[in-house]
Amino acid sequence: MPSTKSPAEAPATTTGKYDGFTAEERAAMKDHAREEKKAVARRGSSRAEKAAAEERDVLAKIAEMPEADRVLAERIHEIITTAAPDLAPKLWYGMPAYARDGKVVCHFQSAEKFKSRYATLGFSDQAALDDGAMWPTAFAVRELTAADEERIGALVRKAVG
């Protein structure tokens, strides 16, 4: 997923000026462009064929991940598809995401994707997680315990209302 850094916080050259997107951000944008191209190519397909192809793309992307990320992504995929079977798996900026009516509700971001020390499970503004004036929308994930898996399932069920 692209960085939310402002130009002032973004990578700078040795002169201190904004130096554009990082290599990881450019790669994510290229992934997104490829996903859009695939979506256009599938326009003539039936809804079921599109859904099956998008899930195959997600599973293929998970299979490509380094082992630590792959193990987390496989388990999170299973938790999400069990907790909210109406969410449709799809790729979003080259990462597994789960959408309702074409809009992403939650997504997994591998640690390797942006050279982070942890993977991330994130929720979009489409997720019904509102809790007062402030609530978390992303969670760092380094491993999953049974309690973590239960919490993710509960969050996903709440997110889809």
Side-chain angles (χ1 to χ4, degrees):
M1 193 159 84
S3 171
T4 57
K5 293 179 182 177
S6 70
E9 301 171 31
T13 63
T14 55
T15 62
K17 293 183 180 182
Y18 175 67
D19 195 29
F21 296 103
T22 65
E24 293 82 10
E25 290 168 330
R26 285 191 300 276
M29 288 185 282
K30 287 177 183 177
D31 284 341
H32 183 66
R34 279 190 294 275
E35 293 156 18
E36 291 299 311
K37 188 175 180 179
K38 282 183 180 181
V40 168
R42 292 181 181 141
R43 282 199 179 135
S45 303
S46 73
R47 190 172 286 206
E49 290 170 333
K50 287 179 192 175
E54 287 181 336
E55 183 159 18
R56 281 192 306 272
D57 290 346
V58 167
L59 294 173
K61 183 58 77 171
I62 290 171
E64 294 173 2
M65 293 178 184
E67 183 178 1
D69 287 334
R70 185 179 65 252
V71 169
L72 291 173
E74 287 171 345
R75 189 65 193 122
I76 287 173
H77 176 80
E78 185 177 328
I79 294 165
I80 291 171
T81 56
T82 300
D86 59 320
L87 290 182
K90 66 184 274 177
L91 289 177
W92 189 56
Y93 292 96
M95 289 286 106
Y98 304 85
R100 180 177 39 212
D101 299 326
K103 295 181 181 177
V104 171
V105 174
C106 57
H107 67 279
F108 176 83
Q109 181 177 300
S110 73
E112 186 269 337
K113 180 76 173 183
F114 290 102
K115 311 235 184 307
S116 176
R117 64 185 180 91
Y118 51 81
T120 305
L121 173 62
F123 293 86
S124 75
D125 62 339
Q126 298 297 310
L129 295 177
D130 303 37
D131 186 16
M134 188 172 89
W135 58 91
T137 59
F139 298 85
V141 183
R142 292 180 62 187
E143 63 181 55
L144 291 173
T145 65
D148 297 329
E149 292 179 6
E150 285 181 34
R151 183 175 181 201
I152 291 168
L155 281 167
V156 170
R157 285 187 291 278
K158 183 177 180 183
V160 296

